[in-house]
Amino acid sequence: MEQPNNGKISTNQINWVIDLVTFIVFFLIVAPQSTGIPVHEWLSVVFVGTFVVHIVAHWQWVIEMSKRFFKKMQGEIRFNYILDALFFLFMTTALMSGFLISEAVLPVLGVSLTIDPFWVTLHEMSANLSLLILAIHLAMHWQWIVNAFNRYVRKTAISK
């Protein structure tokens, strides 16, 4: 696991930074009315990258939990797995439908689509459900978030 004071960056530190960047970008795209549609869409493109990096960084956990899902497992771990799967489903739906109603990104790429109200509704619903699930996810992992902040940010700032 983590070696204290060896000068190397640990896996936990990398995960914490990935998670923090992913959260910040998600937070910025949550309210397109505050940033405007072009910023919302371009930040969503950035979010796709951070979302993929987050999933890849936690892929081993996904594999292990998938193998153990129908075996004996703590209820909290099973709930977290289901919650993460739902978040992935709703977030992917929000991203895909968002690109289908794009007013800024697709036109720059030379793609012109007629915006269908179905995709607008699906985008809004899946984005709102993603936000709700993220709130539950953060609450479930709050102790890890606080501990990581204290370990990697506060301790580093105090020691300098």
Side-chain angles (χ1 to χ4, degrees), residues 2 5 7-9 11 19 41 43 46 51 56 63 69 71 74-75 82 93 97 99 112 119 131 135 140 156-157:
E2 189 174 339
N5 300 322
K8 293 183 180 178
I9 297 175
T11 302
D19 293 352
E41 289 186 20
L43 281 175
V46 171
F51 189 56
V56 169
I63 291 171
F69 188 77
K71 296 178 182 176
Q74 290 180 356
I82 293 168
T93 302
S97 59
F99 287 115
S112 177
W119 295 115
L131 184 59
M140 286 182 66
T156 304

Side-chain angles (χ1 to χ4, degrees), residues 17-57:
V17 170
I18 290 168
D19 293 352
L20 181 63
V21 170
T22 302
F23 175 75
I24 290 169
V25 176
F26 182 83
F27 182 78
L28 292 171
I29 64 175
V30 165
Q33 61 275 18
S34 65
T35 61
I37 294 299
V39 172
H40 169 76
E41 289 186 20
W42 286 107
L43 281 175
S44 295
V45 171
V46 171
F47 179 77
V48 169
T50 63
F51 189 56
V52 169
V53 169
H54 176 87
I55 291 167
V56 169

